[in-house]
C-alpha cells in the first residue's frame, strides 16, 4: 500500500527551483500521481506551469523513505502558481480538483497528510488580516470532505526575502501570514509549522531556490516525523 501526501498551495509548493542546480532524486519507491495512476517520481512533480522545477516534495519523500524501509510513498500534486486563499475556497475548482485527486489516489493508497505552502499572494495587508479565518475554513472543509478529522497538515512559512525584491512592497504583510500559520499549528494538534528561516531565493526574490527547496523538504519531514512544530533552533538542515 502506498502512503500518500497531498500537495497544495501556490508556486513555492509546485516548485520553481532550477533543475540543473541540484542532483536529481530517483527512487522507484517514490511515486507521483499522473492521470489517476501512480508513476515513478520525476521532477518537476507538480507541472502547473512551464517554469515548474524543483520543489520541496521530493526531498520530503526521500527523507520519509529513509525512515520507512521498503514502503512506498506517493505524492499527489495539486499546487497552482499564483493562487490566493480565495482561489482555494471550498467548492471552488482547485479545492474540488484536490478532493478528486485524493479520491483517485485512495483507491490504492492511504492518505497520510497534506503538504501546504501558500501565502505570498495574500501577503498584502488587506488580505493578510483575514488569512487565519479563511485558512481555518479550508482545513476544516478538506478534513470533512475526506472524512479524515485528524488529517495532518504540514505548513511551511514564507521566505524572509520577499520584501527585498522589486515586488517587495506587495509582500509587506508576509509576517502576518507566517504568524497566522504558526498560530493555527499551535492550536491544532494535527498541524505542524515549518519556518523558512535561512532559506534563499532565486534571483526573482519570490521563489525558493533549488538547494533551499531540498532543505525545506527535509524540514517538512522532520516536523511530520516528530509530530511537532519545527523551530529554528531545532532545525538540523
Amino acid at each position: 500500500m502506498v502512503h500518500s501526501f497531498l500537495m497544495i498551495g501556490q508556486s513555492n509548493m509546485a516548485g520553481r527551483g532550477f533543475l540543473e542546480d541540484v542532483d536529481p532524486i530517483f527512487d522507484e519507491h517514490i511515486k507521483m500521481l499522473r492521470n489517476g495512476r501512480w508513476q515513478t517520481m520525476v521532477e518537476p512533480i507538480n507541472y502547473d506551469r512551464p517554469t515548474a522545477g524543483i520543489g520541496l516534495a521530493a526531498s520530503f519523500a526521500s527523507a520519509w523513505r529513509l525512515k520507512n524501509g521498503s514502503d512506498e510513498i506517493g505524492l499527489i500534486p495539486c499546487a497552482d502558481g499564483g493562487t490566493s486563499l480565495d482561489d482555494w475556497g471550498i467548492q471552488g475548482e482547485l479545492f474540488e480538483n484536490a478532493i478528486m485527486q485524493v479520491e483517485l489516489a485512495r483507491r490504492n493508497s492511504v492518505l497520510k497528510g497534506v503538504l501546504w505552502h501558500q501565502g505570498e499572494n495574500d501577503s498584502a495587508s488587506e488580505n493578510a488580516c483575514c488569512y487565519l479565518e479563511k485558512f481555518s475554513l479550508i482545513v476544516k472543509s478538506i478534513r470533512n470532505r475526506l472524512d479524515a478529522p485528524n488529517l495532518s497538515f504540514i505548513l511551511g512559512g514564507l521566505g524572509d526575502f520577499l520584501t527585498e525584491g522589486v515586488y517587495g512592497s506587495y509582500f509587506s504583510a508576509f509576517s502576518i501570514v507566517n504568524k497566522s500559520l504558526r498560530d493555527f499549528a499551535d492550536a491544532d494538534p494535527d498541524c505542524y509549522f515549518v519556518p523558512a528561516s535561512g532559506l534563499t531565493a532565486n534571483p526573482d526574490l519570490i521563489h525558493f531556490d533549488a538547494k533551499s527547496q531540498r532543505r525545506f523538504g527535509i524540514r517538512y519531514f522532520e516536523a511530520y516525523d516528530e509530530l511537532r512544530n519545527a523551530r529554528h533552533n531545532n532545525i538540523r538542515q
Side-chain angles (χ1 to χ4, degrees):
M1 183 65 71
V2 177
H3 301 255
S4 58
F5 291 83
L6 173 63
M7 299 164 56
I8 302 183
Q10 55 182 112
S11 54
N12 271 317
M13 175 54 68
R16 298 291 189 262
F18 303 141
L19 293 168
E20 63 272 16
D21 285 354
V22 292
D23 292 333
I25 292 175
F26 178 80
D27 184 335
E28 63 183 6
H29 294 289
I30 301 177
K31 307 294 184 180
M32 61 182 184
L33 195 70
R34 285 280 172 88
N35 299 320
R37 302 175 60 189
W38 292 117
Q39 301 181 21
T40 300
M41 183 202 76
V42 294
E43 295 179 282
I45 300 165
N46 198 124
Y47 195 85
D48 62 320
R49 301 286 190 280
T51 52
I54 300 297
L56 62 88
S59 54
F60 171 88
S62 184
W64 185 95
R65 282 275 299 121
L66 289 173
K67 291 289 293 285
N68 289 277
S70 60
D71 290 346
E72 292 189 322
I73 181 173
L75 303 169
I76 308 169
C78 291
D80 192 21
T83 51
S84 67
L85 272 190
D86 288 340
D87 292 324
W88 284 98
I90 58 173
Q91 299 182 338
E93 294 174 353
L94 293 174
F95 181 93
E96 291 297 330
N97 178 65
I99 298 298
M100 179 182 68
Q101 295 300 320
V102 170
E103 295 296 358
L104 287 171
R106 275 177 153 181
R107 294 179 180 181
N108 50 12
S109 77
V110 176
L111 183 66
K112 291 294 187 177
V114 177
L115 309 181
W116 174 279
H117 195 281
Q118 189 282 333
E120 292 91 349
N121 208 31
D122 291 272
S123 289
S125 57
E126 62 269 22
N127 297 325
C129 61
C130 306
Y131 195 92
L132 181 58
E133 179 181 0
K134 292 179 179 180
F135 179 69
S136 300
L137 180 59
I138 291 171
V139 172
K140 179 180 179 180
S141 299
I142 290 173
R143 286 171 169 167
N144 286 343
R145 285 287 298 276
L146 297 175
D147 192 23
N150 303 116
L151 181 63
S152 295
F153 278 71
I154 315 301
L155 317 175
L158 307 184
D160 296 334
F161 47 74
L162 284 173
T163 57
E164 299 173 11
V166 65
Y167 300 107
S169 60
Y170 182 83
F171 305 114
S172 60
F174 84 93
S175 61
I176 296 176
V177 174
N178 276 348
K179 184 178 186 302
S180 297
L181 291 166
R182 187 182 296 108
D183 288 349
F184 187 87
D186 285 339
D188 188 303
D190 297 302
C191 284
Y192 314 103
F193 178 76
V194 183
S197 309
L199 300 184
T200 52
N202 287 338
D204 62 10
L205 293 174
I206 296 174
H207 299 107
F208 296 107
D209 61 32
K211 291 181 180 179
S212 287
Q213 286 281 22
R214 290 285 193 247
R215 294 171 63 196
F216 213 10
I218 294 171
R219 294 183 186 185
Y220 266 67
F221 173 72
E222 290 179 348
Y224 174 78
D225 186 54
E226 298 171 7
L227 302 179
R228 65 179 183 180
N229 292 347
R231 300 298 183 186
H232 183 61
N233 59 354
N234 292 329
I235 293 170
R236 295 191 294 271
Q237 293 289 333

